[in-house]
Every structure is written in structure tokens, then in C-alpha cells.
């Protein structure tokens, strides 16, 4: 049973108080975060007051919510009224939202305690959490390596056991890839399952919020709390939220696991290939049927994805104009210069590069060749998955071609950084649900993750297969030395 | 498509994006954008005749609601993050020059 479930049960029953849970959590943060820089902000007084309120609620005879007293970190592109939401950007350095994101209110209503905000690549654009106003986050398994990104802070907060759960956002792999690099569970729900209200938009047709946890049963409980319909996000789907955590032991015998040989071909490191293949064998041993599938347009996914993501980013980030909120340049010559200089000084290198590429792909003369072409290829990719899911229940594949890479290794080579997302962008392009979970360690002792993908709104089956894999393996129980103090 | 991203094109795109870029950045973007768009040209291998573009993975329709007054931000809240404001308004540099105003 996972830490989230355990903690909530202890606080609900009164065996322990939310105040004790949260005090211990703050102690771990103070000891460990200086080594990894996962959190961009936290506030002891507010956190202790929240915990006291939960304990008082219980003392007054009221029953507590599903996440009673569970400390949670939230990525710093998810709006909170009680602290800054910086997106790791100078342009939002002092921004305090006037409202909570839907998921934040859901956590609070379930009696969770939001202890702080997690570091990220600026505006969630990156795969390494190196591009942040607050400095880079480090991998707790080896602090010379990146934790992955863009949700590196929330991933590391869980991997170093400062908290037992966190929320990230996933536009092309930004939950699953850091989960893989840090040895934790990362779930990207189906597009439309979780409201994006209060998530600072990057690629609106791709973005989705999801949890990091150390175990699949915890992830199922977290999803139960944050999923649901919200009229303030027009892409939020009005469909009942199943009790995911009670369907985890649904039998996996006879479930068909799709495997695409092309996902195991060139570009994949040997350590990762072997571990993922062994994980698939474990499912076969558990009674699953392994079926070959074909994804004919796989090799075009990265190009399609980056065109769409950058085009959407260039539109979404047009709102940062130095007028309503955010950074404004000191001495603008005129209105046009105020826009251009505020944006030029406020955005970092990777964000500017993506705005430039997106604007180019949308500009007159290039729109058809790049943006529209990418959308047509997106349909073909989605049709590949529609066909594949007629033949299988879940698809198994790697999360990333390698384990965590060295800090600085890809900083001057944006294309190499983009190509490392080759296994994760499918789920965002096609609106699938997908989960990353630990399946081994490489020769250097770095965690390896594998990925299971399900059809849109197929979370119940996805989570039950993943949970039963964890029942027969112990990779997810390993912790970095840093978490031992 | 042959990519010919030169410094003038980078400056043009930066202007469209209302993004000030330094000369150093212009030179860097010429190389980086050319390389990335050369890679994206891979999409030209795919025959997309008669394929409709897919903007969202889910079928999305407009959702309408009654146009009724609901609680919303106060003026103070709306201005709370403004870099400059004055008497309930967002303040920006002068848009029109003196003669035409």
C-alpha cells in the first residue's frame, strides 16, 4: 500500500495528526531540498495552519477527505492564490494568481496540504529542468545529472521522499520522462479527464495535469481526486470518474499487451531495452497476452508534435504583453517597444526559441507547409492508435531512449533534446492515457522507467495492469541515498 | 521545402511575435531554426492528400451557457498584478502621438 493511502488512513482514523505529518514533511524538505532544488517556494506557517485546520475538522466530528493530511507539491505553472505562480520565468517572477486551479481546489477539498510549488523548465518547455528562473533541479540518484523535465521539481520532491505525491503537467512527456529519470510513478491522464483551469497554458490541445507518486495505487487515488468535469475548461469531458483505486485488482489474465517492434529499434540504449523487455515478460508471466502492433507513422511524431506544440505556445504566450500582469521593461520608447522589450527581457532562451518557431510555422506562406501538415499527420498518428487499440488493451514501450543525462549535455543542441521525447509525444497527440513506472536500473545505478499507454479514458485498465506489475516487482521501492537521512 | 532561414527572416518573425531579439540571438536562431525545420521537412514524406487536419484528439464542440451576471474579480483584484495602473485602469505608454490624439 502506498504512502498516500497510508497517510490518509492514519489521519482519518486519528492515529496520527495532520500537524505531525506535515511537520515531519517540512523537516525532510529542509534537510534534503538544498541538495536537489526541487521546490521554488514553501511557507511553514501557512502549511502548519492548514494542517491544524484539518485536525480541528476531525476533532469537531467531521469525517476527513480522501487525502486527509497528505502533503503535496504542485508544479509552479499551476495557479495558487496563496503563493506566487512563476512558471520558472522572469516574466512571472512576482505573479500571484487571483484564483486557484481546479486541481488545487480538488486537493484542498480532499483535505490534502499543499506544502509548496515545484520547479520546472520555464513555461514547461524543456526535458531537463535546467531552464528555470530558480536554477536547475538535480537528480537525487546522481546530482550531476538532470531529473528530466519539464516537471523535474515535482518528480524529485517525490523521488527524494520529501512528499509522497505531487502534481505535474504533461504536454509531450513532462510527467512521464522525469518520473522515469527519477524512479517514480508518473501518470498522464487522457486529454479532457482533468480540468486545465488554472494551468498556465503551453500547448492547449496537448496539456494535461497528472500525479507523481511512488506507487500505482497512490496514483489511482490522486487521479480520483483531481479528475472530473469543470465548466470552466471547455475541453474538460463530462464523464463520471470511476473509483480507480478500487478497480486495481481487476484480473489481468488475458489482457492483450501491444508491442511495436519499431519502439525497440535504433536510438534505444541497451540497458533500457533490456529492462523494458523484462518488464513485458513479467506481464506475460502474469497471464497477459503479448500481441505485435504496427504504428506506421511513428517516425513522424516528433516533427508533428513540435510544430503543433510550438504553434500553440506562440499563440498562448502572446498574452504576456507587460500590460495586465507580469514583467514590464523599465524605459519603453513607445507601446510597440514596450511589448517587444518586455517579452525579449522577460522570456528565457528556450521559450523565445519556441515562440520564434511557432510564429514561423504559423506565418503567411508557411502555415500550410508546417502547421497544417503537422495537423494532418497528427490525424494519421491517431488513426494508427485507433487501429492498434482494436487489437490490444494496453501498449507497452519505453519512456525515454536513455536514463538521466548529464547536466549541460543537451543544452546547446535543442534538436537532440526534442528527439529524446520520441516515445512520449504519441499520448499527447492522440489524447491517450499513459503511465511511467520503474522497471530497473542501468549500470550506473540510475533508474529506468517503462511506459504503458491506454486508449482515451482507459485509465482503469491501464492502472490495474500497472498496479499488478508493481505487486510482483520491487523497483519502485528503491530509494536514492539522499532519502535515507 | 527548401529552408532558407536567413537573418532577415528571423528579424521578420521576431517582429511578428513582438519579441525583441539581439543580433547575437538572430545569428543563433538562423542556425538553430534551419536545422530544426530541416528535420521537420521529414513530414513531406507523408502523403496527406484527403486527410483532414486534427486540431484536438477529442471531438470538441462549442459549449454555450446563459449569459447571466456571476461573481467575478473586483477592480482591485484585476489590477493587483498590473505593472502600472492608475485610478482603476491599466496604464500603458501613449499609443497615439500628440498631433493625432
Amino acid at each position: 500500500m502506498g504512502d498516500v493511502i497510508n497517510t490518509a488512513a492514519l489521519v482519518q482514523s486519528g492515529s496520527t495528526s495532520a500537524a505531525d505529518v506535515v511537520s515531519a514533511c517540512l523537516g525532510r524538505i529542509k534537510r534534503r531540498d538544498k541538495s536537489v532544488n526541487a521546490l521554488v517556494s514553501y511557507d511553514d506557517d501557512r502549511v502548519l495552519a492548514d494542517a491544524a485546520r484539518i485536525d480541528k475538522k476531525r476533532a469537531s466530528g467531521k469525517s476527513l477527505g480522501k487525502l486527509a493530511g497528505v502533503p503535496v507539491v504542485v508544479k509552479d505553472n499551476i495557479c495558487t492564490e496563496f503563493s506566487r505562480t512563476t512558471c520558472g520565468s522572469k516574466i512571472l517572477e512576482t505573479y500571484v494568481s487571483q484564483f486557484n486551479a481546479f486541481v488545487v481546489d480538488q486537493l484542498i477539498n480532499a483535505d490534502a496540504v499543499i506544502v509548496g510549488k515545484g520547479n520546472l523548465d520555464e513555461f514547461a518547455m524543456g526535458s531537463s529542468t535546467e531552464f528555470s528562473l530558480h536554477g536547475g533541479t538535480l537528480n537525487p540518484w546522481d546530482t550531476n545529472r538532470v531529473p528530466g523535465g519539464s516537471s523535474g521539481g515535482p518528480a524529485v520532491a517525490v523521488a527524494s521522499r520529501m512528499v509522497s505525491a505531487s502534481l505535474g503537467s504533461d504536454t509531450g512527456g513532462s510527467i512521464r520522462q522525469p518520473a522515469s529519470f527519477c524512479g517514480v510513478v508518473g501518470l498522464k491522464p487522457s486529454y479532457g479527464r482533468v480540468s486545465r483551469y488554472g494551468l498556465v497554458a503551453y500547448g492547449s490541445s496537448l496539456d494535461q495535469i497528472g500525479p507523481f507518486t511512488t506507487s500505482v495505487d497512490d496514483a489511482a487515488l490522486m487521479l480520483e481526486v483531481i479528475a472530473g468535469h469543470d465548466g470552466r475548461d471547455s475541453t474538460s469531458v463530462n464523464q463520471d470518474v470511476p473509483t480507480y483505486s478500487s478497480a486495481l485488482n481487476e484480473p489481468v489474465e488475458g489482457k492483450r499487451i501491444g508491442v511495436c517492434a519499431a519502439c525497440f529499434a535504433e536510438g534505444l540504449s541497451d540497458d533500457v531495452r533490456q529492462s523494458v523487455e523484462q518488464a513485458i515478460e513479467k506481464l506475460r508471466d502474469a497471464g497477459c497476452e503479448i500481441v505485435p502492433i504496427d504504428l506506421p507513422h511513428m517516425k513522424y511524431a516528433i516533427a508533428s508534435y513540435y510544430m503543433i506544440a510550438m504553434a500553440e505556445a506562440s499563440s498562448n504566450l502572446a498574452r504576456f504583453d507587460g500590460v495586465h500582469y507580469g514583467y514590464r521593461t523599465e524605459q519603453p520608447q513607445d507601446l510597440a517597444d514596450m511589448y517587444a522589450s518586455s517579452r525579449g527581457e522577460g522570456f528565457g532562451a528556450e521559450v523565445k526559441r519556441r515562440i520564434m518557431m511557432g510564429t514561423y510555422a504559423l506565418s503567411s506562406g508557411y502555415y500550410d507547409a508546417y502547421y497544417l501538415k503537422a495537423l494532418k499527420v497528427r490525424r494519421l498518428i491517431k488513426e494508427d492508435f485507433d487501429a492498434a487499440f482494436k487489437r490490444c488493451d494496453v501498449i507497452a514501450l519505453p519512456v525515454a531512449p536513455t536514463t538521466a543525462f548529464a547536466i549541460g549535455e543537451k543544452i546547446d543542441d535543442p534538436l537532440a533534446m526534442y528527439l529524446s521525447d520520441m516515445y512520449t509525444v504519441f499520448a499527447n497527440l492522440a489524447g491517450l492515457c499513459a503511465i511511467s513506472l520503474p522497471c530497473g536500473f542501468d549500470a550506473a545505478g540510475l533508474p529506468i522507467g517503462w511506459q504503458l499507454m491506454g486508449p482515451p479514458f482507459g485509465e482503469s485498465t491501464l492502472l490495474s495492469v500497472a498496479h499488478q506489475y508493481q505487486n510482483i516487482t520491487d523497483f519502485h521501492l528503491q530509494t536514492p541515498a539522499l532519502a535515507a537521512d | 521545402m527548401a529552408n532558407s532561414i536567413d537573418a532577415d527572416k528571423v528579424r521578420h518573425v521576431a517582429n511578428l511575435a513582438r519579441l525583441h531579439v539581439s543580433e547575437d540571438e538572430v545569428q543563433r536562431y538562423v542556425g538553430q531554426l534551419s536545422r530544426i525545420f530541416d528535420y521537420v521537412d521529414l513530414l513531406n514524406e507523408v502523403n496527406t492528400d484527403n486527410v483532414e487536419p486534427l486540431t484536438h484528439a477529442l471531438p470538441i464542440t462549442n459549449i454555450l451557457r446563459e449569459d447571466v451576471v456571476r461573481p467575478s474579480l473586483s477592480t482591485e483584484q484585476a489590477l493587483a498584478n498590473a505593472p502600472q495602473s492608475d485610478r482603476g485602469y491599466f496604464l500603458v505608454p501613449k499609443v497615439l502621438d500628440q498631433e493625432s490624439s
Side-chain angles (χ1 to χ4, degrees), chain A residues 9-279:
Chain A
L10 290 171
V11 175
Q12 283 158 356
S13 69
S15 308
T16 188
S17 68
D20 284 350
V21 171
V22 159
S23 301
C25 169
L26 289 169
R28 293 192 299 274
I29 291 171
K30 286 183 209 319
R31 292 197 300 279
R32 296 173 194 169
D33 197 44
K34 55 186 184 295
S35 311
V36 285
N37 193 35
L39 269 66
V40 305
S41 61
Y42 64 96
D43 172 357
D44 292 33
D45 293 343
R46 178 189 58 75
V47 170
L48 291 167
D50 283 353
R53 196 163 51 241
I54 292 165
D55 288 331
K56 206 166 153 190
K57 181 175 170 185
R58 188 180 180 283
S60 74
K62 296 197 180 92
S63 62
L64 297 182
K66 288 182 175 182
L67 298 178
V70 175
V72 178
V73 162
V74 174
K75 188 177 181 179
D76 204 25
N77 61 350
I78 296 175
C79 288
T80 45
E81 295 172 328
F82 50 78
S83 69
R84 293 183 299 157
T85 298
T86 68
C87 289
S89 180
K90 179 178 173 183
I91 213 160
L92 285 179
E93 189 168 3
T94 61
Y95 176 72
V96 179
S97 173
Q98 301 298 314
F99 53 86
N100 281 336
F102 175 83
V103 293
V104 168
D105 280 336
Q106 293 291 100
L107 291 176
I108 293 170
N109 292 338
D111 293 323
V113 178
I114 299 172
V115 288
K117 306 294 288 284
N119 201 14
L120 70 166
D121 286 303
E122 185 179 358
F123 284 102
M125 297 178 188
S127 308
S128 62
T129 317
E130 290 168 290
F131 306 106
S132 169
L133 171 74
H134 311 284
T137 296
L138 310 179
N139 192 310
W141 294 88
D142 177 353
T143 51
N144 294 309
R145 293 182 182 267
V146 302
S150 63
S151 313
V156 170
V158 173
S160 50
R161 302 303 192 268
M162 291 189 270
V163 290
S164 36
S166 60
L167 294 184
S169 64
D170 190 313
T171 306
S174 282
I175 291 174
R176 290 161 287 155
Q177 184 253 23
S180 175
F181 281 12
C182 294
V184 297
V185 173
L187 172 66
K188 186 207 91 74
S190 309
Y191 186 76
R193 181 72 285 185
V194 177
S195 169
R196 295 180 293 108
Y197 179 77
L199 171 67
V200 178
Y202 161 18
S204 301
S205 81
L206 307 158
D207 296 338
Q208 196 60 191
I209 296 169
F212 289 94
T213 55
T214 58
S215 65
V216 175
D217 51 2
D218 280 352
L221 184 63
M222 289 291 291
L223 181 62
E224 248 170 71
V225 170
I226 62 169
H229 180 243
D230 175 17
R232 297 167 302 182
D233 170 7
S234 63
T235 63
S236 153
V237 172
N238 194 354
Q239 199 176 101
D240 287 346
V241 180
T243 316
Y244 298 112
S245 56
S246 62
L248 292 171
N249 291 314
E250 182 188 308
V252 296
E253 286 84 5
K255 291 282 182 221
R256 299 162 302 165
I257 310 297
V259 176
C260 174
C263 291
F264 294 82
E266 56 170 326
L268 183 63
S269 76
D270 288 340
D271 283 342
V272 177
R273 179 190 295 109
Q274 281 163 18
S275 290
V276 177
E277 284 173 352
Q278 282 163 11

Side-chain angles (χ1 to χ4, degrees), chain B residues 14-74:
Chain B
N15 181 48
L16 290 177
R18 298 292 182 270
L19 192 62
H20 178 79
V21 290
S22 66
E23 260 321 290
D24 274 2
E25 286 174 311
V26 169
Q27 296 312 321
R28 208 173 323 133
Y29 288 146
V30 168
Q32 289 177 343
L33 269 59
S34 298
R35 239 191 107 213
I36 291 163
F37 280 92
D38 281 346
Y39 174 76
V40 173
D41 283 342
L42 185 67
L43 296 178
N44 292 326
E45 288 179 9
V46 187
N47 182 346
T48 53
D49 297 348
N50 305 313
V51 177
E52 285 295 309
L54 181 71
T55 52
H56 273 86
L58 290 172
I60 303 274
T61 51
N62 278 328
I63 298 168
L64 302 177
R65 59 169 168 79
E66 290 305 310
D67 184 18
V68 290
V69 177
R70 294 187 301 182
S72 61
L73 297 183
S74 66

Side-chain angles (χ1 to χ4, degrees), chain A residues 96 191 205 299-300 323-326 328 340 343 352-353 360 366 369-370 373 375 378-379 382 413, chain B residues 1 3 9 17-18 20 25 29 32 35 37 43 45-46 48 52-55 57-58 81 83-84 91:
Chain A
V96 179
Y191 186 76
S205 81
K299 72 182 259 210
Y300 307 107
V323 176
H324 300 99
Y325 45 79
R328 179 184 290 189
R343 291 161 60 77
K352 281 196 223 179
R353 186 156 50 232
Y360 180 60
Y366 300 95
Y370 289 121
K373 183 79 181 181
L375 290 177
R378 180 183 193 179
R379 180 174 296 278
K382 180 174 187 299
D413 190 354
Chain B
M1 171 184 301
N3 277 302
K9 195 168 276 176
R18 298 292 182 270
H20 178 79
E25 286 174 311
Y29 288 146
Q32 289 177 343
R35 239 191 107 213
F37 280 92
L43 296 178
E45 288 179 9
V46 187
T48 53
E52 285 295 309
L54 181 71
T55 52
L58 290 172
N81 283 292
Q84 276 188 288
L91 200 62

Side-chain angles (χ1 to χ4, degrees), chain A residues 343-367:
Chain A
R343 291 161 60 77
E345 294 161 21
F347 289 132
E350 181 60 28
V351 173
K352 281 196 223 179
R353 186 156 50 232
R354 294 194 190 195
I355 291 173
M356 289 290 290
M357 287 188 284
T359 304
Y360 180 60
L362 289 172
S363 67
S364 172
Y366 300 95
Y367 182 91

Side-chain angles (χ1 to χ4, degrees), chain B residues 1-14:
Chain B
M1 171 184 301
N3 277 302
S4 49
I5 298 177
D6 56 22
D8 282 346
K9 195 168 276 176
V10 167
R11 288 188 200 100
H12 170 65
V13 172

Side-chain angles (χ1 to χ4, degrees), chain A residues 319-328 335 338-339 342, chain B residues 79 81-85 90-93:
Chain A
R319 73 192 61 183
F320 299 100
D321 59 1
V323 176
H324 300 99
Y325 45 79
Y327 172 83
R328 179 184 290 189
L335 187 66
M338 188 205 75
Y339 292 143
S342 298
Chain B
L79 292 169
N81 283 292
Q84 276 188 288
S85 63
F90 293 100
L91 200 62
V92 294

